[in-house]
Amino acid sequence: MNNKVKCSWIKFFQLILFKINHSFVTIFLFSFSLLFSLLIPLVLFSLKLSLESFIVIFQYYIMIFYSIILFIFVLMNAIKIFGIQIEDSSFLLLLTKPYSRKAIILTQYISLFFMNFLFILLNVLMLLTLGGISSFTFNNIHYLNFYVSTVLKLLLFSFLFSILVTVGVVTLLAFIRSQNVFLIFIIFCSLFLLGGLPYSLTKVKTDNIILSFKNNESYSVRQIKNSILFRENLQKNLIKYPYLTSSIFNFYSKLDSFELNDINSTAVIAKRIAFFKGLGLIEKTPVVKTFEGKTRGWKPVEYEGKTIIIQITFNSYFKDLNFLKSNLNSNKIFQDLLKIINDYNDECKGIDEFMIVQKSKAPTLLTYDEDINNTFIKIKDQQGSQQLLDSSKIKDIFFSNYQYKFDFRDEFNKMFYNPVYYVIRTVEDYICNQVLIYNNITNYDLSFNKNYNQYLDTVNTYQMLNKINIIEHWNQLWTYFMGYYGDFWFDIYSLSNIDFDNQKNNLFSYHDFKLNSFNNKINTNEIEYFQNISVTIYVYIVISVILFFSSYVMFLKKNIS
């Protein structure tokens, strides 16, 4: 049998690994990357960052790791094994040994792939180990599951990325000298830091473009996209407080256009009250509240200093916080509601502050019996007789602390200031507006005006550039596979603003879509994404295979002297 075949392949494999590992660059990059991977989890978990800051900072690490550290590691080793040893004639020495040229080329490739995987694996193990230790040491385990899943995804993504870089570098080395290959790929490496720039600029330019519809409604591109994303993210369980949100969303999705545009009509209020009664949040029987005390200010002024009696019989009265806390077991909606109240209490310097700001929401669903025998305001004179006043002033009395002053003002206000009610009403407004926007953009014709043409021109230009932008391809592949932690929620004091971009890092490009029309309406059934992820993956697999076999054949036939 041929001596070359008999030769131990393992020994030759070890020889190639020895050459790679006994390089200052390899040792330095291993040491630096492991130190970097040791520090990043310590920083992330020790600082007790917000969710958004945690994810954004972690993505900085990911960008630096795969597009700079790993990229240079792969580049330098490929040049060392396939470039320098040919240029300094050490490859000829290998050919004098009992190894075939095919075996040498394949073994060098396998050695590079092995070292790439080992490099990535050791960094991933460092991230996982220190991440687990840090999260428990600093009592910050909230994001640990997401962190672990992201690191494991990084392992696979980085290895696939390293394969493409390896075969790309080796293929170029078959044509040009290693110094030129190094220069080309270093320039390419630096461009990774600008990979997200086209996407970010396109978003900045298009998000605030106003699109108009034939029902005289106008929305920004960002609002329209958010209404579409809200439905998608709710299905993916990425919206915070999912049980309560889904229940309210499903209710409003069943209303027609007229009802959505007038949710405070008598008919819709009746439906809303019935819905919340069905959730167990409204008392089943009327609730009677009675107060008595002296007025210190009144309108008209002749009633100042009088003894007043106020009785209100509520037909719909929301249950209070104590009821919610005592009925949490097995009720996911109650659990979500209590979480929101607690979160708003932390974010708004107290839930009372939140309710005061949202004061105008109070009367809407708190309906009361208008029969004068059940709901009334009475003034008692010195003889004990009572004079009936206009009970429609009850809402005015609540809203005006200055015109109506009386001894039991605090107790009277507490009757309306119910955290359960205010949070429900606020969440209602958030979700109703998202449903309304979606309803309008899918049911009413779009105005094809200057703004829409400007939007299309911008996104079409970006889409064309995206097809040939290799850096952005890998940016979007990573962010697509990484996904989102979720827990998206509305800005507390906004009408209905939800930020789906707060977990994004501006250095990256993200899997996004453009707004197309179908039958003169926004097409939400067939979303057109700027980048087809499946096609992109297949294309790069094919490119990698072609480059591998091309470089293999070229080095087989390359004249080495």
Side-chain angles (χ1 to χ4, degrees):
M1 188 177 291
N2 192 301
N3 288 332
K4 292 184 179 181
V5 177
K6 291 180 178 179
C7 184
S8 171
W9 176 84
I10 297 295
K11 289 183 178 180
F12 182 55
F13 177 68
Q14 292 173 340
L15 174 63
I16 302 299
L17 294 184
F18 180 83
K19 284 189 173 185
I20 294 174
N21 290 323
H22 283 70
S23 162
F24 171 77
V25 173
T26 301
I27 296 171
F28 173 78
L29 288 173
F30 255 113
S31 303
F32 178 78
S33 65
L34 290 174
L35 178 63
F36 192 34
S37 298
L38 179 149
L39 291 176
I40 194 67
L42 291 175
V43 172
L44 287 174
F45 288 101
S46 64
L47 294 181
K48 297 187 183 298
L49 301 165
S50 66
L51 167 63
E52 295 77 16
S53 297
F54 183 95
I55 294 174
V56 170
I57 292 174
F58 190 34
Q59 287 184 84
Y60 280 118
Y61 164 82
I62 291 167
M63 169 65 78
I64 294 170
F65 175 75
Y66 90 82
S67 67
I68 298 178
I69 300 175
L70 176 61
F71 191 96
I72 294 174
F73 180 84
V74 172
L75 173 64
M76 297 303 293
N77 287 333
I79 288 176
K80 180 179 180 62
I81 297 303
F82 276 93
I84 294 176
Q85 73 172 6
I86 290 178
E87 293 167 10
D88 65 8
S89 300
S90 58
F91 192 84
L92 289 174
L93 293 176
L94 293 177
L95 293 177
T96 63
K97 303 295 182 182
Y99 309 117
S100 69
R101 184 179 286 207
K102 290 181 181 180
I104 292 171
I105 295 169
L106 290 176
T107 304
Q108 289 182 156
Y109 252 128
I110 293 170
S111 301
L112 289 175
F113 292 150
F114 175 80
M115 286 304 301
N116 294 344
F117 183 75
L118 182 63
F119 182 83
I120 297 164
L121 180 63
L122 290 177
N123 278 278
V124 164
L125 291 176
M126 181 68 77
L127 288 170
L128 292 175
T129 303
L130 268 295
I133 293 172
S134 301
S135 63
F136 286 100
T137 300
F138 299 107
N139 193 26
N140 186 12
I141 62 173
H142 308 293
Y143 317 133
L144 183 58
N145 287 339
F146 178 78
Y147 172 85
V148 170
S149 67
T150 302
V151 171
L152 293 177
K153 291 173 185 176
L154 180 63
L155 171 64
L156 177 60
F157 172 82
S158 297
F159 184 59
L160 294 176
F161 176 75
S162 71
I163 290 174
L164 178 66
V165 176
T166 300
V167 295
V169 172
V170 174
T171 302
L172 268 184
L173 286 169
F175 293 100
I176 58 180
R177 294 182 64 82
S178 57
Q179 295 96 325
N180 297 328
V181 173
F182 177 79
L183 180 61
I184 291 169
F185 276 86
I186 285 297
I187 293 172
F188 194 72
C189 173
S190 64
L191 293 176
F192 266 101
L193 297 177
L194 303 175
L197 188 60
Y199 173 77
S200 298
L201 290 177
T202 302
K203 273 191 66 66
V204 168
K205 190 172 181 180
T206 59
D207 271 2
N208 294 319
I209 293 177
I210 303 298
L211 303 184
S212 303
F213 296 82
K214 294 300 176 64
N215 64 336
N216 296 321
E217 292 289 347
S218 298
Y219 303 108
S220 69
V221 168
R222 185 172 185 270
Q223 286 178 302
I224 295 171
K225 281 189 164 185
N226 280 354
S227 71
I228 297 170
L229 288 171
F230 182 79
R231 304 171 82 88
E232 289 187 0
N233 288 331
L234 187 60
Q235 292 174 355
K236 295 175 182 176
N237 205 32
L238 295 177
I239 304 295
K240 208 171 184 180
Y241 322 115
Y243 298 100
L244 177 64
T245 304
S246 296
S247 297
I248 297 177
F249 174 81
N250 291 335
F251 168 76
Y252 275 99
S253 294
K254 294 174 183 176
L255 300 182
D256 59 35
S257 297
F258 297 104
E259 291 173 322
L260 285 171
N261 281 285
D262 190 13
I263 64 170
N264 289 323
S265 66
T266 303
V268 179
I269 285 178
K271 286 186 177 182
R272 290 161 66 192
I273 290 172
F275 166 67
F276 287 116
K277 275 187 178 178
L279 295 183
L281 293 169
I282 293 180
E283 299 285 357
K284 294 181 178 180
T285 56
V287 174
V288 180
K289 301 284 186 178
T290 305
F291 307 95
E292 181 174 345
K294 281 192 173 293
T295 63
R296 290 179 280 106
W298 201 262
K299 184 182 178 182
V301 294
E302 55 263 29
Y303 295 119
E304 291 183 10
K306 304 290 185 180
T307 300
I308 187 174
I309 302 172
I310 298 179
Q311 178 174 300
I312 306 174
T313 302
F314 286 99
N315 290 329
S316 59
Y317 194 76
F318 276 73
K319 295 176 180 178
D320 60 17
L321 195 54
N322 290 329
F323 171 84
L324 204 64
K325 291 178 179 178
S326 60
N327 290 272
L328 288 179
N329 294 338
S330 75
N331 193 317
K332 300 293 186 180
I333 292 176
F334 285 9
Q335 292 172 17
D336 275 355
L337 191 50
L338 185 61
K339 288 177 186 176
I340 302 178
I341 293 172
N342 291 335
D343 289 345
Y344 281 19
N345 186 62
D346 294 337
E347 294 181 38
C348 304
K349 299 179 181 179
I351 195 67
D352 291 341
E353 183 72 23
F354 169 77
M355 291 191 292
I356 290 171
V357 174
Q358 302 288 345
K359 186 175 183 178
S360 62
K361 300 184 191 300
T364 315
L365 296 181
L366 299 177
T367 60
Y368 52 83
D369 190 340
E370 295 184 1
D371 188 317
I372 60 173
N373 295 311
N374 298 322
T375 300
F376 53 78
I377 305 173
K378 293 180 179 179
I379 298 290
K380 291 174 64 175
D381 58 21
Q382 292 180 348
Q383 287 74 35
S385 61
Q386 300 177 354
Q387 180 180 355
L388 197 64
L389 299 182
D390 184 5
S391 61
S392 66
K393 288 182 177 288
I394 288 174
K395 292 178 182 177
D396 295 334
I397 293 171
F398 171 68
F399 283 125
S400 180
N401 289 335
Y402 298 101
Q403 289 183 333
Y404 299 94
K405 299 177 182 179
F406 40 90
D407 294 341
F408 53 89
R409 164 56 80 176
D410 290 342
E411 290 78 7
F412 180 83
N413 285 351
K414 285 179 182 178
M415 175 178 61
F416 290 97
Y417 283 134
N418 179 357
V420 175
Y421 172 80
Y422 273 95
V423 168
I424 282 290
R425 280 289 297 110
T426 302
V427 174
E428 250 199 320
D429 285 348
Y430 292 158
I431 297 172
C432 174
N433 195 55
Q434 293 298 318
V435 175
L436 176 61
I437 294 173
Y438 188 87
N439 179 80
N440 286 336
I441 67 173
T442 53
N443 289 304
Y444 294 99
D445 287 355
L446 180 65
S447 296
F448 297 100
N449 54 20
K450 179 181 177 181
N451 283 2
Y452 183 69
N453 292 333
Q454 179 191 349
Y455 170 75
L456 277 186
D457 288 343
T458 304
V459 296
N460 286 339
T461 301
Y462 168 72
Q463 189 170 29
M464 180 180 66
L465 293 173
N466 179 268
K467 292 182 184 301
I468 59 174
N469 188 342
I470 297 174
I471 295 172
E472 197 163 22
H473 293 171
W474 285 91
N475 262 207
Q476 289 193 23
L477 283 175
W478 165 249
T479 53
Y480 175 80
F481 286 117
M482 177 183 176
Y484 297 96
Y485 180 91
D487 267 6
F488 292 114
W489 194 242
F490 300 87
D491 293 342
I492 294 178
Y493 292 121
S494 68
L495 171 62
S496 187
N497 179 46
I498 185 167
D499 187 1
F500 291 119
D501 296 329
N502 59 10
Q503 295 175 24
K504 293 180 178 180
N505 185 307
N506 290 332
L507 291 182
F508 280 96
S509 178
Y510 289 82
H511 195 228
D512 206 344
F513 60 93
K514 71 176 182 179
L515 300 175
N516 283 328
S517 62
F518 179 74
N519 288 336
N520 297 327
K521 299 176 178 63
I522 296 292
N523 186 3
T524 58
N525 294 321
E526 296 180 2
I527 301 295
E528 182 183 354
Y529 286 90
F530 293 120
Q531 182 174 315
N532 187 315
I533 295 297
S534 298
V535 171
T536 303
I537 292 172
Y538 291 134
V539 166
Y540 280 107
I541 289 175
V542 171
I543 290 174
S544 298
V545 172
I546 292 173
L547 290 177
F548 173 78
F549 283 106
S550 298
S551 61
Y552 175 73
V553 172
M554 290 172 192
F555 274 101
L556 275 180
K557 298 182 177 182
K558 189 177 179 68
N559 183 21
I560 301 172
S561 58

